[in-house]
Amino acid sequence: MITLKDVKKIFSSKSGEVTAVNGINLEIKQGEIFGIIGYSGAGKSTLIRMFNQLEKPTSGSIIVDDREMATLRGRELRLARQEIGMIFQHFNLLWSRTVRENIEFPLEIAGVAPSKRKERSAELIKLVGLEGREDAYPSELSGGQKQRVGIARALANNPKVLLCDEATSALDPQTTDSILELLVDINERLGLTIILITHEMHVIRKISHKVAVMENGSVVEQGDVLTVFKKPQEAITKRFVSQFTEPEEVKETGEHLIEKFPNGHVIQLTFVGEGTEAPIITNVIRNFDVTVNILQGKISHLQAGAYGTLFIHIDGEDEEVQHAITYIREQSVGVEVMANA
């Protein structure tokens, strides 16, 4: 569906050239929700704006639905952009137009007849849950309602791709979740490919199938979300993942736990999918002559399943402890021994 090959974007400034995007390679399949995460200045906003050519790449190839976007001009580019909807952090609504008129605006530009525009806007108002607010102005709407208008407007021309540029970062947590649930619903109903950029790992783990992590203009890590959560490779990825793998109430480091439990073994267990519900610790206590203390843990629910971490302290004869650890590994649970007696 979408292929990026060695995409670069270099800006010229008084102090010299600035490389905002540096050699990005991505493959995004049709119907995927693909998340791009990074902190401010990572280059993610510049990257997403190159998908629809709001920014022109300095070099490289951007292919969307078998079309090389960088080579399109004039009418061809306008038609291609109609198939790529976009929603923004600050909504970008027309404040002098009602909800219905905002949604109809791209259809008006495309030359769609008034009766068809009205019919399409009515469909979209129902889809995004804004029935009864058709004649309201943006100033009369909540943040979540404004973003729903933005989503409906982006869908007006029946796009194949939806770009989301920090679409939830201006919203409170509860409203963010409702917008993310709407995006998942749209993805499933319409088979729409969704690309979202964010600095919030909550957004990625809530709805994304795959994720790319950006830092200093480059993608430093990418893969399906469960794999990235289970085995983050880069320091920045570990920093993002730790927001959900470390218990918020405790957040003690392995070193602190080792200091508190100098004898025995401090072990970090990683569970994915069905493993989060298996009675593994109970079975260890029943079947092996060891004592087990649960120190801290947390389960996060991802789009592709559940992911959890658990820190335990296990003590006993060394041979028996090793048997217990072997048993845990055989249950497809990640095991990291953080301290040995």
Side-chain angles (χ1 to χ4, degrees):
M1 177 61 176
I2 300 173
T3 303
L4 275 65
K5 296 180 180 178
D6 198 27
V7 174
K8 295 183 181 180
K9 179 64 179 180
I10 300 173
F11 292 100
S12 297
S13 66
K14 293 181 179 179
S15 57
E17 292 187 339
V18 177
T19 302
V21 173
N22 188 17
I24 300 294
N25 294 284
L26 292 176
E27 288 280 349
I28 301 172
K29 295 179 181 178
Q30 184 174 353
E32 278 186 339
I33 301 178
F34 194 99
I36 301 172
I37 190 168
Y39 292 112
S40 297
K44 56 190 188 298
S45 289
T46 301
L47 177 63
I48 201 172
R49 289 168 63 86
M50 286 193 284
F51 281 87
N52 59 1
Q53 298 298 289
L54 292 178
E55 289 285 356
K56 298 288 185 181
T58 303
S59 62
S61 173
I62 300 174
I63 299 172
V64 180
D65 198 26
D66 297 325
R67 286 182 291 202
E68 173 56 76
M69 296 297 294
T71 64
L72 300 180
R73 297 290 185 275
R75 183 173 183 274
E76 283 188 330
L77 179 57
R78 289 194 297 273
L79 291 175
R81 282 174 171 165
Q82 288 180 10
E83 296 188 353
I84 305 174
M86 191 167 189
I87 58 176
F88 305 89
Q89 177 180 2
H90 296 297
F91 321 125
N92 287 15
L93 301 181
L94 299 170
W95 295 88
S96 61
R97 291 192 173 217
T98 64
V99 167
R100 181 187 290 108
E101 291 168 343
N102 265 281
I103 296 170
E104 290 181 4
F105 184 62
L107 298 172
E108 183 181 332
I109 292 174
V112 176
S115 60
K116 293 292 185 182
R117 296 202 302 259
K118 187 174 181 179
E119 180 181 336
R120 180 61 176 157
S121 65
E123 292 174 358
L124 292 168
I125 285 168
K126 183 177 180 180
L127 177 67
V128 301
L130 286 174
E131 299 99 321
R133 305 294 286 162
E134 296 91 337
D135 298 319
Y137 288 89
S139 60
E140 301 172 305
L141 303 177
S142 68
Q145 289 172 330
K146 290 173 188 172
Q147 196 56 284
R148 287 173 184 269
V149 177
I151 292 170
R153 182 184 59 185
L155 297 177
N157 282 309
N158 291 301
K160 297 178 181 178
V161 178
L162 180 63
L163 307 178
C164 305
D165 187 358
E166 295 279 11
T168 60
S169 61
L171 305 176
D172 62 77
Q174 184 174 353
T175 306
T176 290
D177 283 346
S178 71
I179 294 297
L180 295 178
E181 288 166 5
L182 175 59
L183 291 175
V184 170
D185 183 55
I186 290 169
N187 168 256
E188 293 174 349
R189 285 198 200 188
L190 306 180
L192 200 63
T193 303
I194 298 177
I195 302 164
L196 57 89
I197 67 166
T198 183
H199 62 274
E200 300 171 301
M201 200 63 185
H202 168 73
V203 174
I204 298 297
R205 64 110 179 176
K206 182 88 174 177
I207 70 170
S208 297
H209 302 118
K210 291 186 178 177
V211 60
V213 183
M214 286 192 70
E215 185 177 29
N216 297 324
S218 300
V219 170
V220 296
E221 190 166 350
Q222 62 177 299
D224 60 83
V225 173
L226 269 178
T227 300
V228 171
F229 260 74
K230 185 176 181 180
K231 294 182 178 179
Q233 301 298 312
E234 300 295 325
I236 187 172
T237 312
K238 292 176 181 177
R239 184 176 172 187
F240 279 123
V241 170
S242 70
Q243 297 173 20
F244 291 94
T245 59
E246 293 179 2
E248 295 176 357
E249 300 82 2
V250 184
K251 288 189 176 178
E252 290 194 87
T253 65
E255 289 77 9
H256 289 153
L257 293 172
I258 291 167
E259 290 175 2
K260 292 177 71 172
F261 299 91
N263 299 315
H265 302 67
V266 174
I267 301 173
Q268 179 179 349
L269 308 181
T270 304
F271 304 81
V272 177
E274 295 179 359
T276 57
E277 300 177 3
I280 293 171
I281 301 302
T282 300
N283 291 339
V284 167
I285 295 170
R286 286 177 177 172
N287 299 323
F288 301 95
D289 187 18
V290 295
T291 58
V292 179
N293 290 317
I294 296 175
L295 306 180
Q296 59 189 44
K298 186 174 184 180
I299 293 176
S300 295
H301 294 280
L302 315 179
Q303 169 75 342
Y307 172 90
T309 57
L310 185 68
F311 288 88
I312 65 172
H313 175 253
I314 184 169
D315 201 4
E317 294 294 330
D318 190 61
E319 184 176 359
E320 195 70 5
V321 169
Q322 293 306 318
H323 287 322
I325 292 173
T326 299
Y327 165 78
I328 295 172
R329 286 198 171 104
E330 289 172 350
Q331 311 311 305
S332 299
V333 174
V335 177
E336 180 182 355
V337 179
M338 306 187 70
N340 292 309

